[in-house]
Amino acid sequence: MRDVWLLLRGVPGLTGAPDGVLQELAALFAWIESRDAWITREGEVGDAVHLLAEGVCAVSTRRPSGEEAHLAHLSAGAFFGHRAVLTGGRHTRSVRGIGRVRTLSMPGAALRQVMDGSDIYTATILRTALIISTARDLASATARIARHSAELAPGPPSAQPD
Amino acid sequence: MGRRIPFADMVAESPFGAGLGANERQAMMAWLRPRPFSAGEILISAGELDRRLFLLLAGEVGVSAHAGGNDFALMSLGPGDMVGEICFFDAQARRSADVIASKRGLAAGLQYSDLLVAQREGHPLVATLQGLALAQLTKRLNAADRLLAGLATHRRPPGLVRRLRGSLGLPS
């Protein structure tokens, strides 16, 4: 469990948290290792939050045509799967490991218990970590949208309706 | 002329003050600063380091990003939305987009250092803001994913971007 605790210490949002809190959180995660495998599938009910510890994952979504559209890559330190767990909904993206991947996975029930529990401090820092990870996803998606839009509309967008 | 609603009442009636008791609302007002804005005024500039969060109480703002020398409108936000949450929660982030007022309005500004005070005091504002931030980020990320999935095609059908933006309720 010490390796999990050490890894959590470096996660943005959890940095600086007391060792006891991180040890309690570490006990809720389990290691999962996979190779070129789907970790979450779009449309499935969210039942765990994953922290990518080693390797790279590809994020994709299905177009109405059924074709898989690549959205992003995730690298070590990224959380995923939490949005479906916390909203009680289904995954809106699929995440697949590229090659060998190691994740730390916490069951959805454990995540909800931390969030709704009486330990406000632990809930706050874990929520902060999830917010930062989601915010970084959004910031990089925003940059990609702007880049794609620039490629599609070389002139000023207002002057060139697509 | 309409009646001017006091700042504290506007906060109390917004999602940011929902579910708080009178004492909790009073404590929260010590951390929130009114930030009136006029149409065309810049609230946030891309690239800046600034850990302020703006809770929109009235008016409307537009969010836009730069690339290739162009500005691209990403979304419009209004009362009940927050802006600046990425830098607010992530100390390493810079402002990722411009936020410019499209209609005159009012925001409540919150410094991250004040959120830490609220956190130390166990004030429920922290959980409220975090819950709203996660919900809002989730909604925006889902919208961004749909837009990206459409943009990532090699061939662009006529009007694709405009239709996608329209379907997401974004300005074309």
Side-chain angles (χ1 to χ4, degrees), chain B residues 1 16 19 30 40 49 51 53 83 93 98 114 122 125 132 139 157 159 171:
Chain B
M1 280 282 276
F16 315 111
L49 280 169
R51 298 199 76 186
L53 178 71
V83 288
D98 288 330
D114 286 329
L125 173 68
L132 289 169
K139 193 172 142 191

Side-chain angles (χ1 to χ4, degrees), chain B residues 98-172:
Chain B
D98 288 330
V99 177
I100 302 174
S102 44
K103 289 181 187 166
R104 188 168 71 103
L106 177 68
L110 176 66
Q111 293 282 357
Y112 189 73
S113 53
D114 286 329
L115 184 84
L116 293 180
V117 175
Q119 193 172 317
R120 276 197 297 274
E121 294 181 5
H123 195 283
L125 173 68
V126 181
T128 300
L129 282 184
Q130 286 189 322
L132 289 169
L134 254 181
Q136 189 163 294
L137 286 167
T138 293
K139 193 172 142 191
R140 289 183 194 170
L141 190 54
N142 288 343
D145 282 352
R146 289 195 295 274
L147 194 56
L148 266 175
L151 286 168
T153 49
H154 293 296
R155 286 184 187 173
R156 177 176 52 136
L160 172 66
V161 175
R162 192 176 56 247
R163 285 202 314 278
L164 273 166
R165 299 189 72 85
S167 70
L168 297 173
L170 304 176
S172 58

Side-chain angles (χ1 to χ4, degrees), chain A residues 16-82:
Chain A
D19 288 348
V21 171
L22 292 179
Q23 282 163 1
E24 280 174 29
L25 280 177
L28 302 174
F29 283 99
W31 283 106
I32 295 181
E33 188 170 327
S34 62
R35 183 175 289 276
D36 294 318
W38 294 101
I39 302 171
T40 66
R41 292 305 302 261
E42 182 177 356
E44 289 180 355
V45 174
D47 58 359
V49 57
H50 309 277
L51 172 63
L52 182 53
E54 289 173 31
V56 175
C57 289
V59 183
S60 61
T61 186
R62 248 190 323 273
R63 291 203 184 94
S65 62
E67 182 191 0
E68 207 71 21
H70 173 76
L71 295 173
H73 284 111
L74 298 177
S75 51
F79 280 101
F80 59 95
H82 56 282

Side-chain angles (χ1 to χ4, degrees), chain B residues 34-118:
Chain B
R35 171 63 168 91
F37 52 82
S38 312
E41 193 173 337
I42 299 171
L43 268 76
I44 289 174
S45 293
E48 279 183 351
L49 280 169
D50 178 5
R51 298 199 76 186
R52 258 179 315 167
L53 178 71
F54 295 109
L55 315 173
L56 296 177
L57 302 172
E60 189 179 279
V61 299
V63 182
S64 58
H66 307 279
N70 293 319
D71 290 334
F72 298 95
L74 294 170
M75 66 189 81
S76 291
L77 300 172
D81 290 322
M82 57 175 75
V83 288
E85 74 279 10
I86 294 179
C87 279
F88 183 74
F89 287 105
D90 187 354
Q92 293 173 26
R94 286 179 179 269
R95 297 296 198 192
S96 60
D98 288 330
V99 177
I100 302 174
S102 44
K103 289 181 187 166
R104 188 168 71 103
L106 177 68
L110 176 66
Q111 293 282 357
Y112 189 73
S113 53
D114 286 329
L115 184 84
L116 293 180
V117 175

Side-chain angles (χ1 to χ4, degrees), chain A residues 108-128:
Chain A
L111 176 63
R112 283 189 291 269
Q113 204 168 350
V114 172
M115 294 302 182
D116 301 336
S118 56
D119 185 346
I120 295 171
Y121 179 80
T122 304
T124 299
I125 60 161
L126 185 54
R127 219 181 275 119
T128 301

